[in-house]
Amino acid sequence: MNNIGNSEINNFNNNNNNNDSDIINTAIQLVKALSDPSTSTNPHQLHQVQSAFQQLQKSPNGWNIANQLLLQHDLNCKFFGALTYTVNLNLHINSLKSAETENENENFHNNNNILTLDSVTIELLNHFLNLIFNDSTISSNSMFVIRKIMTNFAFIYINNYNNWPNPILTTIGSIHSKQLL
């Protein structure tokens, strides 16, 4: 197990030559470290890894990290991807809501697309449908990932109920048709 800590993440963030795959690989390594039993028995190392991962979650790359972690085969990566969505929704909900009304937001981009609350909701719905229909790693014992995505839907609805009047119908309809409605 590699000991990944804040100093490595700080060096990583200060290097302008990092590309998306380096950032994603670092996030994956941190998730694996958090899941490693040797990390959980070492409080200092656990704190270092948690702090480093939280720094990545809250970085401008947080949305991309969330997306990419949900695309991994590892269930822990998927869960931490959904958790990273939660972190970013909590951090940026007001900016995302104002982007809905202004149709512009210079601060939040994901793969050069301007992020709005609707676009984040669509991304999450697509991940949700992919987990249900296309992901062989999901089983009855691993519903914790789907539950975490559902908590994100609830948070989005609470903050956007005027623009998403019936999230249950949207979700059930999407499941029924096996595609986003």
Side-chain angles (χ1 to χ4, degrees):
M1 158 70 18
N2 294 336
N3 186 7
I4 300 173
N6 284 332
S7 61
E8 287 180 59
I9 297 300
N10 287 333
N11 290 338
F12 184 83
N13 285 339
N14 291 331
N15 182 352
N16 292 329
N17 296 325
N18 294 321
N19 61 39
D20 285 347
S21 65
D22 291 338
I23 294 167
I24 301 308
N25 288 333
T26 299
I28 291 168
Q29 287 179 321
L30 289 168
V31 168
K32 288 180 179 178
L34 286 168
S35 306
D36 188 314
S38 67
T39 304
S40 62
T41 59
N42 182 337
H44 176 70
Q45 185 179 10
L46 179 61
H47 176 74
Q48 273 190 314
V49 174
Q50 283 177 330
S51 295
F53 187 71
Q54 288 170 354
Q55 185 178 352
L56 276 180
Q57 285 179 306
K58 295 175 184 178
S59 76
N61 296 306
W63 296 109
N64 190 34
I65 290 168
N67 256 332
Q68 293 302 313
L69 287 175
L70 274 164
L71 294 173
Q72 301 302 307
H73 291 290
D74 181 78
L75 284 173
N76 288 320
C77 284
K78 289 178 184 298
F79 175 79
F80 279 97
L83 178 64
T84 302
Y85 266 109
T86 304
V87 168
N88 279 277
L89 283 166
N90 279 291
L91 285 173
H92 306 297
I93 191 69
N94 291 330
S95 297
L96 290 170
K97 287 188 332 188
S98 67
E100 291 291 328
T101 58
E102 297 171 9
N103 283 331
E104 62 181 59
N105 190 336
E106 295 177 10
N107 296 321
F108 305 112
H109 291 82
N110 190 24
N111 297 328
N112 296 322
N113 295 322
I114 295 174
L115 288 180
T116 63
L117 201 50
D118 284 346
S119 67
V120 171
T121 303
I122 290 168
E123 286 176 358
L124 276 168
L125 279 166
N126 280 322
H127 282 297
F128 175 75
L129 293 173
N130 187 47
L131 285 169
I132 291 174
F133 295 114
N134 302 323
D135 199 319
S136 61
T137 60
I138 296 297
S139 67
S140 61
N141 295 328
S142 54
M143 293 300 292
F144 65 101
V145 178
I146 291 174
R147 277 189 221 112
K148 189 63 186 168
I149 290 175
M150 297 298 282
T151 63
N152 288 330
F153 290 154
F155 183 80
I156 290 168
Y157 176 72
I158 288 168
N159 286 281
N160 196 34
Y161 56 87
N162 289 330
N163 293 326
W164 196 13
N166 200 334
I168 294 172
L169 183 61
T170 302
T171 306
I172 292 172
S174 295
I175 292 170
H176 180 71
S177 68
K178 297 185 180 182
Q179 64 183 0
L180 193 60
L181 291 182

